[in-house]
Amino acid sequence: MFNRQKYLYIFWLIILVSTISAQSTEYFYHKNPGNSTEGDAVELSIMLLKDQPVSQGSIFFRPIGELSYQEIHLRQDGLSWYGEIPKEQVLSPGIEYVIIMDMPYGAKLSAPLNNDPFDAPLTISVRKKITQKEFGQINKISKSKVISDVLVLSPEAGSFIRPEDVVIAVSTFNSPNIDSTKYTVLIDGKDFSDFAILEQNILSVTPNDLDIGLHTVQLNFITTYGIEIEPIIWSFTITKSMVNVVEQLLYKGNINSLASNNSASGSSINEAEINGKLSAELSWIKGRVNFRKTSRESEFLQPLNRTTTSLFITDYLKIEYGDVYPSISPYIIDGKRIRGQLIDIHLPFFRLQTISGKLNETVQYQDYTNGGYTLLGDATVTDSTNFTKYYMSRTGYTFPREVNVIKLSFSMFNKIKAGLHVMKAKDDKNKVSKSISDKIEFSVDSLGYGIEAGDYTFNSFNSAVLAQGDTIIFPDHNWSGNSPEDNLVFGFDFESAMDNRKLLFQMGWNMSFYNTDIWNDEMTLAEMDTTLDDSLDGFIGKIYNDDGSIGESSFSPIDTLTLPSPSNYKDIFTINTNMIPLSPIDIRAMEENIMAAYVNMPSSAFFFRLKGHYSFNNLLVEYRQVGPQYKSLGNPYLTTNIREFNLNNRISVLERKLSVVFGYQYKDNNISYTTVEPLRTTKYSMNFTLVPGPGAPSIVVNIQSSKKNNDIDSLTVDTAGDYLSDPREKTQALNTLLSVNLPASFGKNFNNISISLNSIKYSDLLLSERRPDYFFSKTNSTTLSANISSRFSIPLKTNLSFNQTNLEIPYRDSSDVIMIKEMQWRSVGIGGQYGIFENRLQIRCGADVLSSEGSEGNINLYGGTLGLNWSIINNLSLNFSSNIRLNHSQFLKTDGLDNNSDGNIDEFGESFSVNTSGAIFTLGYKF
Amino acid sequence: MMSHKMKSIIFVIVLVISSSLFGAKIAVATKVNGTVELQKVGERDFGKLKPGTILDDGDRIRTGSMAFAAIIFIDDKSTLKLKENSEIVVTGKRSAASIAKKIDIDEGTLRAIVTDQRKGEFIIQTPTSVASVKGTDFWLIVNESEGDQVLGLEGIVNLLNIETGLNLDVTEGNTGTSTPDGQVNIDETNTSNIPIDPEDDESEESQIRIYFEGPNGEQKSLLINYR
């Protein structure tokens, strides 16, 4: 039953198709070709079914959309008549045509067969020319071959690759009409088609048995219309190693010279600089040199010049010399410059990193008065015989800081990683001279000891002192400038990957020893004894009662005779009374809780981190603590005295278009046993980020609530119990953000519009308990900003920005009444870049205005920029940029003062002043 | 007996699900060094990524220690190079003319050589930022706890911090940073900080000039351009 129905359907379908595509009447049979291709001639025919007395026949045709028809005469061949529409007239989207056969006595026979065939002509749909549209840049080579827009993805034509990197891949994405079932892949003429995969416009082959040398790939395709495509042919070379040293040497680089002038608040800086880089590669070895030389380099500053030479030998060895920027750990050194050398041996299961050099270079003195010597006036003494001792010291110096870092890491199958690291940094106090250039002066005040006040060099002062029969005391160390320091930091990292690396556990622990003053070298055991427990009894930790009897202690006293002398370790760390910590463990904390005392060692820093990537969740659980006495000179700005707990989960949904982040953070500074008023911060946050995809608007919503509590629950009062102040802090800050980024394309013009609204509101959670005169000093703010950046089809780029910030600043007025001052900052900026001479000369300019409305009046800052980038010849370019910023304070013109010190009061222009200005020229060459 | 309507609904559902599980082909891996793993979209486990592997919309790639991978998008040859210890999800929506590309990266270092996109943009999203690019070459270093660094080599990258909505354009020779506390900043690139690209210079054209001297002392040179 089902089969019969199916066959009936097929039968009627055939009938229908025949009816549509053919004009079959009792007089003639004509088959409409249906469709054709732009640029291909169309042959039409009509066969008379009866012997009709036809005198001639014509085709009247016109491209669709045209008004008039063109005529072509048919030629007769038996009962059939033929005609060809010329290829020039076969245009997309199609052709309308009518065939007219002339009969005797003015009779006509037409296809289509009706009274007025020109009202309903037959049509042929014409595809766009394959060679231009459907296959991109296609030109017809011959009648049977076209060139297609097939992208060679790998390997690049003419490239040199290693045997293991041979992947032949092409994309037919831009040639959708390629027949994915009929193709051949030939490599050096050998057919690899059976090893190729062509799926969804990607053809990929990975041949494994190609020899070293030149190889040629040929791909043969046909279109779905059966048209053969011009073969895609390209060559590449497989090399194993240094087949030919000269051929494999690749290099590139650039060199730039720069001259600039910048002024700010009347101070001007001129600078000339030359910088460049050169990188070269020879198969398995790569080298790179970067340098910068500046006219600002000075013996009185830390080096501003930079030179780095890097050598990479395969992926396993890296050697850098010069200015290196190692990143070992945030707790040790993390990108701080070291002038020295870095060696990084990186093997699959083992890694060794060593860095040695200087964090600081020697600076002997500063080139200004009191920049090298200083007279310690307060220390000057005169004895009863009127003999005066003048005490002098050195200033303005910086000790060279030697640093050595080593990190040893192991990894096992990408599952476990562990590393140990040590950093030693120490100032070399012997490299700064006591005696410096005699041109350096120091000031002498009126001491009343006979020496005239004024500026002296050391020799002139010494002569004056000796002339009076007095003396100068100038010690060899303990100068009044910076003290030499010593630092030892060590620690370890550990990582364990579980569940196929979806779950990562990471931890690290570090300990620091920091000596703030090593002028006096290491201490003796006796000094250690008195330093740690106040009594010189040969024991550390032995406590005595007032009557001299031995008191109780939580741990056994240590006999100093059993301890090694600190001098044994002087090369590792200088142990003396200036070291931090004096004792790694807080002894008072040990009496409370031994475990807590070890965990909270004031000079330790550690973290635990758990990261999970499951389903749509990215989970982070982290605890980190940095003790109040932790110090690494390799990362001196690390925030200390902090412990925090973070819980974060980022959920990605809607095919990662929407991510929602829930966050919790707790932070305090309650590490030390002695902290009395810890500040606790608790933060809850939620973030929604919608990024649907390229070209679509993205939206960010962020809400964050942050509470601070300093654990103080009472007011400060004087001895009489009268109120002095309210030090309690229990506040909440609510930070909300809405940001929309809207890309918009209009034809070939692309615009990006971003709008954001940010609000920070503070509230006092103890408001109901406060006295009426309590001053809550937090400032609320609301910021609205918008930016429109546009790129046009002509080489023009523009940027328009607007920003408005409203502030609510609490203050006390002259009557001590608490008021709110509302301020508004508003800025508008516009900038653009236009390219001329085929974009070889790009001109940039911009202007902006920042206005501030306050109670004292308006202050406006006007800014302007102008620049150009000129590609002079192929690799030589000149860049110029300049800027100026003017300050306009309206009230300066009405304040009755001579603000610009020109003798006139409140004249025109007094309210204007140049705030900053600058100009930079750069000439660069690439090779 | 299941009705025809029900069958049709099931067919459509299966079609939709299968199309989401087995995404569209969008890129191909052309270079793989070291341990590089691939989690095909819809699958739970990672397998080894081999050179020549065709990548689907939604595939996840991660590199191990000392590993490197390069993938090329099939519509315009935009290239992504992944350095060690990196993890990305490659997404791309195919249209007739192009592929709209979006890369999600949680951690690691990548170089993107993006050809001028015919439509829309090429987006890279990190836990901290969204980078929108168009005809650009740049390095992106992503650290979930410390934030992102964009080192511009060519073109412009718009770097948007998703914590505060602040954004800036990173241009050639400059480094843009976007931190988890919501700040964005731009500064001149310290060239020592530019990661090493294992494939760098392979496509640079160089020349060899060979001098020939004839019997009469005349000199001619043969200039060979090669990559």
Side-chain angles (χ1 to χ4, degrees), chain A residues 152 160 167 171 174 200-201 204 247 281 286 288 325 346 500 502 611 650 656 694 700 702 737 750, chain B residues 25 44 51-52 62 66 74-75 77 94 101-102 106-107 121 162-164 190 197 200 226-227:
Chain A
V152 176
F160 290 83
V167 174
S171 165
N174 300 310
Q200 290 189 26
N201 309 117
S204 166
E247 282 186 358
E281 177 186 353
K286 290 180 182 177
R288 184 193 279 175
Y325 301 82
H346 196 167
N500 201 11
K502 286 179 182 168
K611 285 176 167 180
R650 186 159 49 89
R656 296 180 194 80
V700 177
N702 195 31
L737 166 83
F750 177 79
Chain B
K25 315 289 180 198
R44 189 180 179 279
R62 69 182 184 195
M66 297 184 66
I74 62 167
D75 60 333
K77 288 184 75 170
R94 288 173 65 126
K101 309 165 193 80
K102 179 168 172 261
D106 289 339
E107 193 122 20
E121 295 175 9
I162 60 175
E163 187 75 16
T164 56
N190 181 338
D197 183 345
D200 210 9
Y226 70 97
R227 290 175 187 275

Short mmCIF file of all heavy atoms in Angstrom, two decimals, chain A residues 152 160 167 171 174 200-201 204 247 281 286 288 325 346 500 502 611 650 656 694 700 702 737 750, chain B residues 25 44 51-52 62 66 74-75 77 94 101-102 106-107 121 162-164 190 197 200 226-227:
data_model
loop_
_atom_site.label_atom_id
_atom_site.label_comp_id
_atom_site.label_asym_id
_atom_site.label_seq_id
_atom_site.Cartn_x
_atom_site.Cartn_y
_atom_site.Cartn_z
N VAL A 152 44.75 28.07 1.94
CA VAL A 152 45.73 27.10 2.44
C VAL A 152 46.01 27.47 3.88
O VAL A 152 46.55 28.54 4.18
CB VAL A 152 47.02 27.14 1.60
CG1 VAL A 152 48.06 26.20 2.19
CG2 VAL A 152 46.72 26.76 0.17
N PHE A 160 59.39 26.44 5.90
CA PHE A 160 60.27 25.36 6.34
C PHE A 160 59.66 24.79 7.62
O PHE A 160 59.44 25.52 8.58
CB PHE A 160 61.67 25.89 6.65
CG PHE A 160 62.43 26.32 5.43
CD1 PHE A 160 62.24 27.59 4.88
CD2 PHE A 160 63.32 25.47 4.82
CE1 PHE A 160 62.93 27.99 3.77
CE2 PHE A 160 64.02 25.86 3.69
CZ PHE A 160 63.83 27.13 3.16
N VAL A 167 51.20 19.08 8.67
CA VAL A 167 49.74 18.95 8.60
C VAL A 167 49.31 19.72 7.37
O VAL A 167 49.59 20.90 7.24
CB VAL A 167 49.07 19.57 9.84
CG1 VAL A 167 47.56 19.53 9.67
CG2 VAL A 167 49.48 18.84 11.09
N SER A 171 41.00 25.24 3.68
CA SER A 171 39.61 25.57 3.99
C SER A 171 38.89 25.90 2.69
O SER A 171 39.37 26.70 1.88
CB SER A 171 39.58 26.77 4.93
OG SER A 171 38.28 27.32 4.95
N ASN A 174 35.11 29.53 1.95
CA ASN A 174 34.70 30.61 1.05
C ASN A 174 34.35 30.11 -0.35
O ASN A 174 34.16 30.91 -1.28
CB ASN A 174 35.79 31.68 0.99
CG ASN A 174 36.04 32.26 2.35
OD1 ASN A 174 35.11 32.66 3.03
ND2 ASN A 174 37.29 32.26 2.79
N GLN A 200 32.78 19.67 6.42
CA GLN A 200 32.30 21.04 6.65
C GLN A 200 33.36 22.07 6.26
O GLN A 200 33.79 22.89 7.06
CB GLN A 200 31.89 21.24 8.11
CG GLN A 200 30.64 20.49 8.47
CD GLN A 200 30.13 20.88 9.84
OE1 GLN A 200 30.40 21.96 10.32
NE2 GLN A 200 29.41 19.97 10.45
N ASN A 201 33.82 21.94 5.05
CA ASN A 201 34.73 22.93 4.45
C ASN A 201 36.18 22.85 4.95
O ASN A 201 36.94 23.79 4.75
CB ASN A 201 34.23 24.38 4.66
CG ASN A 201 32.81 24.55 4.24
OD1 ASN A 201 31.96 24.87 5.05
ND2 ASN A 201 32.53 24.31 2.97
N SER A 204 41.77 18.00 5.62
CA SER A 204 42.94 17.81 6.47
C SER A 204 43.60 16.47 6.16
O SER A 204 42.92 15.46 6.02
CB SER A 204 42.47 17.87 7.93
OG SER A 204 43.45 17.39 8.78
N GLU A 247 70.73 29.22 5.02
CA GLU A 247 69.33 29.29 4.61
C GLU A 247 68.40 29.40 5.81
O GLU A 247 67.30 29.89 5.71
CB GLU A 247 68.97 28.04 3.80
CG GLU A 247 69.47 28.12 2.38
CD GLU A 247 68.97 26.94 1.56
OE1 GLU A 247 68.28 26.09 2.12
OE2 GLU A 247 69.30 26.88 0.37
N GLU A 281 67.07 33.76 14.55
CA GLU A 281 66.76 32.36 14.81
C GLU A 281 67.56 31.49 13.86
O GLU A 281 67.68 31.80 12.67
CB GLU A 281 65.27 32.10 14.60
CG GLU A 281 64.90 30.66 14.79
CD GLU A 281 63.45 30.37 14.44
OE1 GLU A 281 62.72 31.34 14.18
OE2 GLU A 281 63.08 29.20 14.42
N LYS A 286 67.58 30.49 19.28
CA LYS A 286 67.05 31.83 19.02
C LYS A 286 67.75 32.83 19.92
O LYS A 286 68.08 32.50 21.06
CB LYS A 286 65.55 31.90 19.34
CG LYS A 286 64.68 31.13 18.41
CD LYS A 286 63.23 31.27 18.82
CE LYS A 286 62.34 30.44 17.91
NZ LYS A 286 60.95 30.48 18.29
N ARG A 288 67.82 37.13 21.11
CA ARG A 288 67.09 38.40 21.08
C ARG A 288 67.88 39.44 21.88
O ARG A 288 68.38 39.13 22.97
CB ARG A 288 65.72 38.19 21.71
CG ARG A 288 64.83 39.40 21.66
CD ARG A 288 63.63 39.24 22.56
NE ARG A 288 62.56 38.46 21.98
CZ ARG A 288 61.47 38.12 22.64
NH1 ARG A 288 61.31 38.44 23.88
NH2 ARG A 288 60.53 37.41 22.05
N TYR A 325 63.79 40.29 34.13
CA TYR A 325 62.58 40.55 34.93
C TYR A 325 62.00 39.21 35.38
O TYR A 325 60.97 38.77 34.85
CB TYR A 325 61.57 41.34 34.11
CG TYR A 325 62.08 42.66 33.63
CD1 TYR A 325 62.88 42.75 32.47
CD2 TYR A 325 61.81 43.83 34.30
CE1 TYR A 325 63.38 43.96 32.03
CE2 TYR A 325 62.30 45.04 33.87
CZ TYR A 325 63.08 45.11 32.73
OH TYR A 325 63.57 46.33 32.31
N HIS A 346 64.65 24.05 31.54
CA HIS A 346 63.27 23.58 31.66
C HIS A 346 63.12 22.25 30.93
O HIS A 346 62.96 22.21 29.72
CB HIS A 346 62.34 24.63 31.03
CG HIS A 346 60.92 24.46 31.44
ND1 HIS A 346 59.95 25.40 31.23
CD2 HIS A 346 60.28 23.44 32.04
CE1 HIS A 346 58.80 24.97 31.68
NE2 HIS A 346 58.98 23.77 32.18
N ASN A 500 41.53 14.39 36.29
CA ASN A 500 41.89 14.84 34.94
C ASN A 500 42.04 16.36 34.86
O ASN A 500 41.55 17.01 33.95
CB ASN A 500 40.85 14.36 33.93
CG ASN A 500 41.40 14.34 32.52
OD1 ASN A 500 42.61 14.48 32.32
ND2 ASN A 500 40.53 14.17 31.55
N LYS A 502 40.65 18.62 36.41
CA LYS A 502 39.48 19.47 36.62
C LYS A 502 39.50 20.08 38.01
O LYS A 502 38.83 21.08 38.26
CB LYS A 502 38.19 18.66 36.43
CG LYS A 502 37.91 18.34 34.98
CD LYS A 502 36.67 17.54 34.84
CE LYS A 502 36.43 17.19 33.39
NZ LYS A 502 35.40 16.18 33.24
N LYS A 611 40.89 24.96 42.99
CA LYS A 611 40.20 25.41 41.79
C LYS A 611 39.48 24.24 41.15
O LYS A 611 40.09 23.18 40.94
CB LYS A 611 41.21 25.93 40.76
CG LYS A 611 41.80 27.28 41.06
CD LYS A 611 42.84 27.55 39.98
CE LYS A 611 43.30 28.96 39.95
NZ LYS A 611 44.29 29.16 38.89
N ARG A 650 32.17 31.02 39.27
CA ARG A 650 31.74 31.63 38.01
C ARG A 650 30.96 30.58 37.23
O ARG A 650 31.50 29.52 36.88
CB ARG A 650 32.95 32.10 37.21
CG ARG A 650 32.58 32.87 35.96
CD ARG A 650 33.74 33.73 35.51
NE ARG A 650 34.97 32.96 35.45
CZ ARG A 650 35.39 32.29 34.40
NH1 ARG A 650 34.68 32.30 33.30
NH2 ARG A 650 36.52 31.63 34.42
N ARG A 656 28.12 29.65 27.26
CA ARG A 656 29.15 30.58 27.78
C ARG A 656 28.88 32.02 27.37
O ARG A 656 29.77 32.85 27.42
CB ARG A 656 30.54 30.16 27.32
CG ARG A 656 30.96 28.82 27.88
CD ARG A 656 32.32 28.42 27.43
NE ARG A 656 32.52 27.01 27.72
CZ ARG A 656 32.06 26.04 26.98
NH1 ARG A 656 31.40 26.32 25.88
NH2 ARG A 656 32.26 24.79 27.31
N PRO A 694 30.53 38.00 18.95
CA PRO A 694 31.05 39.13 18.17
C PRO A 694 29.93 39.88 17.49
O PRO A 694 28.99 39.29 16.97
CB PRO A 694 31.95 38.44 17.14
CG PRO A 694 32.28 37.12 17.74
CD PRO A 694 31.11 36.73 18.55
N VAL A 700 27.29 44.25 31.28
CA VAL A 700 27.90 43.86 32.55
C VAL A 700 27.11 44.52 33.67
O VAL A 700 26.86 45.73 33.64
CB VAL A 700 29.37 44.32 32.63
CG1 VAL A 700 29.96 43.98 33.99
CG2 VAL A 700 30.20 43.70 31.53
N ASN A 702 27.25 44.63 37.88
CA ASN A 702 28.08 44.24 39.00
C ASN A 702 27.52 44.87 40.27
O ASN A 702 27.29 46.07 40.32
CB ASN A 702 29.51 44.72 38.74
CG ASN A 702 30.49 44.05 39.65
OD1 ASN A 702 30.29 42.91 40.05
ND2 ASN A 702 31.55 44.75 40.01
N LEU A 737 27.25 48.71 39.36
CA LEU A 737 27.76 49.09 38.04
C LEU A 737 26.87 48.49 36.96
O LEU A 737 26.49 47.33 37.02
CB LEU A 737 29.19 48.56 37.85
CG LEU A 737 29.70 48.59 36.42
CD1 LEU A 737 30.24 49.96 36.07
CD2 LEU A 737 30.75 47.54 36.18
N PHE A 750 32.12 51.03 11.18
CA PHE A 750 31.98 50.27 12.41
C PHE A 750 32.03 51.21 13.60
O PHE A 750 32.92 52.05 13.71
CB PHE A 750 33.11 49.24 12.51
CG PHE A 750 33.06 48.47 13.79
CD1 PHE A 750 32.17 47.42 13.93
CD2 PHE A 750 33.89 48.81 14.85
CE1 PHE A 750 32.11 46.72 15.12
CE2 PHE A 750 33.83 48.11 16.03
CZ PHE A 750 32.94 47.06 16.17
N LYS B 25 32.13 22.71 12.40
CA LYS B 25 33.59 22.73 12.26
C LYS B 25 34.04 24.18 12.03
O LYS B 25 33.50 24.85 11.13
CB LYS B 25 34.04 21.88 11.07
CG LYS B 25 33.35 20.53 10.97
CD LYS B 25 33.79 19.59 12.04
CE LYS B 25 33.09 18.24 11.90
NZ LYS B 25 33.14 17.45 13.13
N ARG B 44 32.98 14.26 28.11
CA ARG B 44 33.42 14.54 29.47
C ARG B 44 34.94 14.51 29.59
O ARG B 44 35.53 15.28 30.35
CB ARG B 44 32.80 13.50 30.42
CG ARG B 44 33.02 13.82 31.88
CD ARG B 44 32.40 12.78 32.79
NE ARG B 44 32.67 13.12 34.18
CZ ARG B 44 33.78 12.86 34.81
NH1 ARG B 44 34.77 12.25 34.17
NH2 ARG B 44 33.96 13.21 36.08
N PRO B 51 47.93 17.05 15.59
CA PRO B 51 47.94 18.00 14.47
C PRO B 51 46.97 17.54 13.39
O PRO B 51 46.89 16.34 13.09
CB PRO B 51 49.39 17.93 13.97
CG PRO B 51 50.17 17.35 15.10
CD PRO B 51 49.25 16.46 15.85
N GLY B 52 46.26 18.46 12.82
CA GLY B 52 45.30 18.11 11.79
C GLY B 52 43.90 17.89 12.31
O GLY B 52 42.96 17.73 11.53
N ARG B 62 43.51 22.35 26.20
CA ARG B 62 44.40 22.78 27.28
C ARG B 62 45.80 22.27 27.02
O ARG B 62 46.00 21.17 26.48
CB ARG B 62 43.88 22.33 28.63
CG ARG B 62 43.94 20.85 28.88
CD ARG B 62 43.36 20.50 30.24
NE ARG B 62 43.48 19.09 30.52
CZ ARG B 62 42.83 18.47 31.48
NH1 ARG B 62 41.98 19.12 32.23
NH2 ARG B 62 43.01 17.18 31.69
N MET B 66 55.32 23.21 29.21
CA MET B 66 56.19 23.24 28.03
C MET B 66 55.47 22.85 26.74
O MET B 66 56.09 22.39 25.80
CB MET B 66 57.39 22.32 28.23
CG MET B 66 58.29 22.73 29.36
SD MET B 66 59.73 21.69 29.45
CE MET B 66 60.53 22.11 27.94
N ILE B 74 38.97 28.56 9.85
CA ILE B 74 38.90 28.17 8.44
C ILE B 74 38.35 29.25 7.52
O ILE B 74 38.47 29.16 6.32
CB ILE B 74 38.07 26.89 8.25
CG1 ILE B 74 36.63 27.12 8.71
CG2 ILE B 74 38.70 25.73 8.98
CD1 ILE B 74 35.70 26.03 8.26
N ASP B 75 37.75 30.28 8.09
CA ASP B 75 37.15 31.27 7.20
C ASP B 75 38.14 32.34 6.77
O ASP B 75 38.07 32.85 5.66
CB ASP B 75 35.93 31.94 7.86
CG ASP B 75 36.30 32.65 9.14
OD1 ASP B 75 37.28 32.24 9.79
OD2 ASP B 75 35.59 33.62 9.50
N LYS B 77 41.72 32.42 8.22
CA LYS B 77 43.08 32.08 8.67
C LYS B 77 43.50 32.83 9.93
O LYS B 77 44.69 32.96 10.19
CB LYS B 77 44.12 32.31 7.56
CG LYS B 77 44.04 31.30 6.44
CD LYS B 77 45.13 31.49 5.42
CE LYS B 77 46.47 31.02 5.88
NZ LYS B 77 47.46 31.01 4.80
N ARG B 94 28.94 29.80 12.65
CA ARG B 94 29.12 29.91 11.20
C ARG B 94 27.95 30.62 10.54
O ARG B 94 26.79 30.34 10.84
CB ARG B 94 29.24 28.50 10.59
CG ARG B 94 30.54 27.81 10.90
CD ARG B 94 30.50 26.37 10.42
NE ARG B 94 30.39 26.30 8.97
CZ ARG B 94 31.23 25.62 8.20
NH1 ARG B 94 32.24 24.96 8.74
NH2 ARG B 94 31.05 25.58 6.91
N LYS B 101 33.75 34.56 16.01
CA LYS B 101 34.59 33.77 16.91
C LYS B 101 34.63 34.33 18.31
O LYS B 101 34.71 35.54 18.49
CB LYS B 101 36.02 33.72 16.35
CG LYS B 101 36.07 33.31 14.91
CD LYS B 101 37.40 33.63 14.30
CE LYS B 101 37.35 33.51 12.80
NZ LYS B 101 36.76 34.72 12.16
N LYS B 102 34.59 33.43 19.26
CA LYS B 102 34.71 33.84 20.66
C LYS B 102 35.58 32.81 21.38
O LYS B 102 35.34 31.60 21.24
CB LYS B 102 33.33 33.92 21.29
CG LYS B 102 33.35 34.32 22.76
CD LYS B 102 31.93 34.66 23.22
CE LYS B 102 31.91 34.88 24.71
NZ LYS B 102 31.44 33.73 25.45
N ASP B 106 40.51 30.85 30.72
CA ASP B 106 40.52 31.06 32.16
C ASP B 106 41.92 31.36 32.66
O ASP B 106 42.11 32.10 33.61
CB ASP B 106 40.01 29.80 32.88
CG ASP B 106 38.52 29.64 32.67
OD1 ASP B 106 37.87 30.65 32.36
OD2 ASP B 106 38.02 28.52 32.81
N GLU B 107 42.91 30.76 32.04
CA GLU B 107 44.28 30.93 32.51
C GLU B 107 45.22 30.59 31.36
O GLU B 107 44.93 29.71 30.56
CB GLU B 107 44.54 29.97 33.69
CG GLU B 107 45.79 30.27 34.45
CD GLU B 107 45.53 30.54 35.93
OE1 GLU B 107 44.47 30.14 36.41
OE2 GLU B 107 46.38 31.16 36.58
N GLU B 121 33.21 41.01 15.25
CA GLU B 121 34.52 41.06 15.86
C GLU B 121 34.94 39.67 16.31
O GLU B 121 34.21 38.72 16.22
CB GLU B 121 34.49 41.97 17.10
CG GLU B 121 34.21 43.41 16.76
CD GLU B 121 34.08 44.24 18.02
OE1 GLU B 121 34.37 43.72 19.11
OE2 GLU B 121 33.68 45.39 17.90
N ILE B 162 35.44 43.70 33.22
CA ILE B 162 34.04 43.38 33.50
C ILE B 162 33.66 43.69 34.94
O ILE B 162 32.49 43.59 35.30
CB ILE B 162 33.69 41.92 33.14
CG1 ILE B 162 34.54 40.95 33.95
CG2 ILE B 162 33.86 41.68 31.69
CD1 ILE B 162 34.14 39.50 33.71
N GLU B 163 34.61 44.05 35.75
CA GLU B 163 34.28 44.42 37.13
C GLU B 163 33.76 45.85 37.20
O GLU B 163 32.83 46.15 37.93
CB GLU B 163 35.53 44.28 38.00
CG GLU B 163 35.31 44.46 39.48
CD GLU B 163 34.63 43.28 40.13
OE1 GLU B 163 34.59 42.18 39.52
OE2 GLU B 163 34.12 43.44 41.23
N THR B 164 34.37 46.75 36.42
CA THR B 164 34.00 48.17 36.49
C THR B 164 33.50 48.73 35.17
O THR B 164 33.04 49.87 35.13
CB THR B 164 35.21 49.00 36.92
OG1 THR B 164 36.28 48.75 35.99
CG2 THR B 164 35.65 48.65 38.33
N ASN B 190 57.38 46.48 27.88
CA ASN B 190 58.77 46.09 28.11
C ASN B 190 59.02 44.87 27.22
O ASN B 190 58.43 43.81 27.42
CB ASN B 190 58.96 45.73 29.59
CG ASN B 190 60.38 45.35 29.89
OD1 ASN B 190 61.13 44.96 29.01
ND2 ASN B 190 60.74 45.47 31.14
N ASP B 197 57.38 33.22 20.80
CA ASP B 197 56.49 32.45 19.94
C ASP B 197 57.33 31.37 19.26
O ASP B 197 58.23 31.69 18.48
CB ASP B 197 55.86 33.37 18.90
CG ASP B 197 54.87 32.63 18.01
OD1 ASP B 197 54.88 31.38 18.02
OD2 ASP B 197 54.10 33.30 17.32
N ASP B 200 57.62 31.95 15.76
CA ASP B 200 57.98 33.29 15.33
C ASP B 200 59.05 33.21 14.26
O ASP B 200 59.93 32.37 14.28
CB ASP B 200 58.52 34.09 16.51
CG ASP B 200 58.24 35.57 16.34
OD1 ASP B 200 57.49 35.91 15.41
OD2 ASP B 200 58.75 36.35 17.15
N TYR B 226 63.32 33.88 0.36
CA TYR B 226 62.74 32.68 0.94
C TYR B 226 62.12 33.03 2.28
O TYR B 226 62.38 34.07 2.86
CB TYR B 226 63.80 31.59 1.11
CG TYR B 226 64.81 31.89 2.18
CD1 TYR B 226 64.67 31.37 3.46
CD2 TYR B 226 65.90 32.71 1.91
CE1 TYR B 226 65.59 31.65 4.44
CE2 TYR B 226 66.83 32.99 2.88
CZ TYR B 226 66.67 32.46 4.15
OH TYR B 226 67.58 32.74 5.13
N ARG B 227 61.26 32.12 2.72
CA ARG B 227 60.61 32.31 4.03
C ARG B 227 61.08 31.24 4.99
O ARG B 227 61.33 30.13 4.60
CB ARG B 227 59.09 32.20 3.87
CG ARG B 227 58.50 33.37 3.13
CD ARG B 227 57.02 33.13 2.92
NE ARG B 227 56.45 34.15 2.07
CZ ARG B 227 56.02 35.34 2.50
NH1 ARG B 227 56.13 35.64 3.77
NH2 ARG B 227 55.53 36.22 1.67
#
